Amino acid sequence: MDDFFAARSQMALSLGFHIIFACIGMIMPFFMAFSHYKYLKSQKEHYRKLTVAWSKGVAIFFVTGAVSGTMLSFELGLLWPQFMLHAGPIFGMPFSLEGTAFFIEAIAIGFFLYGWGKFNPWFHWWTGVVVGVSGLLSGILVVAANGWMNSPSGFDYIDGEFLNVDPIAAMFNDAWFTQSLHMTLAAFVATGFAVAGIHALLLLKGKNQELHWTAVKIALAFGAIAAILQPVSGDISAKDVATRQPAKLAAMEAHFHTEKAAPLVIGGWPNEKKQTVSYAIRIPGGLSFLAHGDTNAEVTGLDQFPEENRPPVLITHIAFQLMVGIGMLLLVVGIIGIFGLWKKKAYLQSKWFLTLLVMMTPLGFVAVEAGWVVTEVGRQPWIIYEVMKTRDGLTPMRGIVYSFWVYAFVYLSLCAIVTVLLIRQVRQLDKKEHNLPTYP
């Protein structure tokens, strides 16, 4: 493993873990706040117990997200100093604002966790809402910074120098909205189905029926609505990528040759040397329509780019197919769930549907990981698209492979600790607790 591969692997590992912690930390506060709202309106005990239980989960993921996010910020400077030397002054604003959002979230979560019986009930509820909103803003701001790497703006690049920096234009780059929308919906989908699946499993085991059924309904509603909206976001993103990063789109679709009425490739195994795709289903004109809204439009292929500037096709294509396939599956399950909640259908509590939800538990996060592979690998070989190549941003420091193994140990340890804590919290859900926090 050379230093370049080790550095990229370390960033991939760190992002892979952090994105799960961050997604759950962003979305769970909304579930918690909704359950809290229902408790304040109905005074039903199971809503209070569910709110307290979910708030403990929020605290766990807030801490782990903060730790893993801090490690990532150090990695940017340590592994990619040449990148940060030029990029830091340009896209530093969303990172600084993200820090502000994080501080607000930290204050609000402290108020919520320790505010039971000390604040007015509705003010206490509002602090929980602030936790969710500030966490979501934090995520959007980080994605805006990543969007700048895909669509660099807010500066002039003249003779290798970054001049006339405009941090506002850099933050509101052409990619920030589409990426933020897609990532936010993905976080709701992944977290919603994961939480619904965990509580569905506890229902199948005959645990506290009222509490877990309430949890399934709340999480499923959030996750299903986001899953139904996600294809719209995906279409917006695809059209945007077709305009800004045609090489990435070509890699996503394993589209080797520029042509009109380009077919949409479903599945398949790309061969980059032969520039063919085996075992694929092709829909005539499908790619042209999705990319440009016209079945006869010309779609740029990889043949229009120098070989050294082409993204890895196999990884990008497989990850993209995996993301879309899981998204479609969750969309179908979401429609079934929303219809059942709307019409109050008994099948929602049937063994087959609860089992289906359990099977969906990890899939949303698999799709999130696949989506980030598409975003990052599909941009290669650029760290700043068409401005700086990834290799040029690497540190000259040697021995990065040792850093990779240390970070791998830390993240695996974090994952193990979080898993143990969550299992303990889940087991405590069905115990009778007489000292639950409440209002006088």
Side-chain angles (χ1 to χ4, degrees):
M1 183 185 293
D2 64 16
D3 288 330
F4 182 57
F5 184 74
R8 291 191 63 196
S9 298
Q10 182 173 321
M11 288 299 297
L13 178 77
S14 303
L15 279 167
F17 276 101
H18 177 69
I19 197 171
I20 294 177
F21 299 148
C23 282
I24 299 174
M26 284 163 52
I27 305 307
M28 277 300 297
F30 290 101
F31 298 177
M32 174 190 77
F34 185 84
S35 176
H36 192 193
Y37 173 82
K38 295 291 287 185
Y39 167 64
L40 293 177
K41 296 293 286 186
S42 68
Q43 295 299 307
K44 292 182 178 179
E45 190 66 15
H46 64 277
Y47 281 118
R48 177 167 66 104
K49 187 170 185 179
L50 185 59
T51 302
V52 172
W54 277 350
S55 69
K56 293 178 180 178
V58 168
I60 291 170
F61 282 103
F62 174 80
V63 172
T64 51
V67 171
S68 59
T70 301
M71 292 171 70
L72 268 171
S73 65
F74 281 113
E75 285 177 281
L76 283 172
L78 290 172
L79 300 178
W80 313 102
Q82 292 303 311
F83 164 68
M84 291 303 295
L85 173 66
H86 300 294
I90 303 172
F91 77 159
M93 179 171 284
F95 278 126
S96 63
L97 292 176
E98 188 273 338
T100 303
F102 174 80
F103 290 144
I104 294 172
E105 183 182 7
I107 294 168
I109 199 171
F111 280 176
F112 188 85
L113 291 174
Y114 299 103
W116 291 91
K118 299 178 178 65
F119 296 134
N120 173 279
W122 285 106
F123 176 79
H124 184 220
W125 170 79
W126 181 247
T127 63
V129 174
V130 172
V131 173
V133 172
S134 56
L136 192 61
L137 284 174
S138 180
I140 289 172
L141 288 163
V142 170
V143 173
N146 180 267
W148 179 84
M149 297 166 67
N150 289 300
S151 181
S153 58
F155 65 95
D156 293 322
Y157 188 63
I158 303 171
D159 297 328
E161 297 290 330
F162 293 76
L163 306 173
N164 303 321
V165 172
D166 182 349
I168 299 295
M171 183 168 67
F172 295 108
N173 55 80
D174 290 342
W176 86 270
F177 176 75
T178 55
Q179 283 194 208
S180 296
L181 176 64
H182 199 61
M183 186 63 234
T184 300
L185 289 174
F188 271 102
V189 174
T191 307
F193 277 96
V195 173
I198 291 170
H199 286 281
L201 177 62
L202 294 171
L203 279 174
L204 288 171
K205 290 184 175 182
K207 302 295 183 179
N208 190 323
Q209 296 290 309
E210 189 175 38
L211 183 145
H212 294 303
W213 173 233
T214 299
V216 167
K217 288 192 294 183
I218 293 172
L220 179 60
F222 276 98
I225 292 171
I228 292 169
L229 294 174
Q230 189 66 298
V232 178
S233 167
D235 181 66
I236 295 170
S237 296
K239 288 180 169 57
D240 180 59
V241 170
T243 301
R244 288 187 300 97
Q245 294 177 291
K248 177 185 284 188
L249 180 72
M252 288 160 55
E253 297 289 352
H255 184 60
F256 291 103
H257 305 288
T258 302
E259 60 181 312
K260 293 183 178 181
L264 178 67
V265 175
I266 299 176
W269 190 265
N271 186 318
E272 294 184 54
K273 290 184 178 180
K274 296 182 180 179
Q275 298 191 0
T276 59
V277 184
S278 305
Y279 317 113
I281 299 171
R282 291 174 170 81
I283 301 176
L287 180 56
S288 292
F289 180 77
L290 289 177
H292 302 293
D294 181 358
T295 56
N296 292 313
E298 183 176 86
V299 180
T300 304
L302 289 167
D303 57 356
Q304 297 298 305
F305 303 92
E307 191 170 343
E308 65 272 15
N309 289 345
R310 297 176 187 176
V313 177
L314 179 62
I315 296 175
T316 308
H317 178 71
I318 296 300
F320 179 68
Q321 296 293 311
L322 184 63
M323 178 188 69
V324 173
I326 292 175
M328 290 291 96
L329 177 59
L330 294 176
L331 168 64
V332 172
V333 177
I335 291 173
I336 295 172
I338 285 294
F339 180 79
L341 291 171
W342 177 38
K343 293 294 185 180
K344 298 182 180 179
K345 294 292 185 180
Y347 68 72
L348 289 182
Q349 293 179 280
S350 65
K351 185 176 181 180
W352 72 265
F353 186 75
L354 293 175
T355 303
L356 182 63
L357 285 180
V358 173
M359 294 170 63
M360 298 299 106
T361 301
L363 293 187
F365 289 110
V366 174
V368 167
E369 297 283 11
W372 273 100
V373 169
V374 172
T375 299
E376 297 303 301
V377 177
R379 190 181 61 244
Q380 298 308 311
W382 306 100
I383 192 169
I384 306 174
Y385 187 62
E386 294 188 331
V387 175
M388 176 186 286
K389 290 194 172 182
T390 306
R391 186 175 291 276
D392 295 332
L394 182 66
T395 177
M397 179 182 69
R398 310 299 296 172
I400 299 176
V401 64
Y402 302 110
S403 172
F404 166 74
W405 289 117
V406 169
Y407 269 72
F409 174 76
V410 171
Y411 276 106
L412 288 172
S413 300
L414 267 177
C415 184
I417 292 169
V418 170
T419 301
V420 170
L421 289 173
L422 289 178
I423 290 173
R424 189 181 72 174
Q425 291 301 321
V426 168
R427 287 176 176 171
Q428 289 179 348
L429 275 172
D430 296 297
K431 294 180 180 179
K432 289 186 178 180
E433 296 185 40
H434 303 288
N435 296 314
L436 281 175
T438 186
Y439 305 109

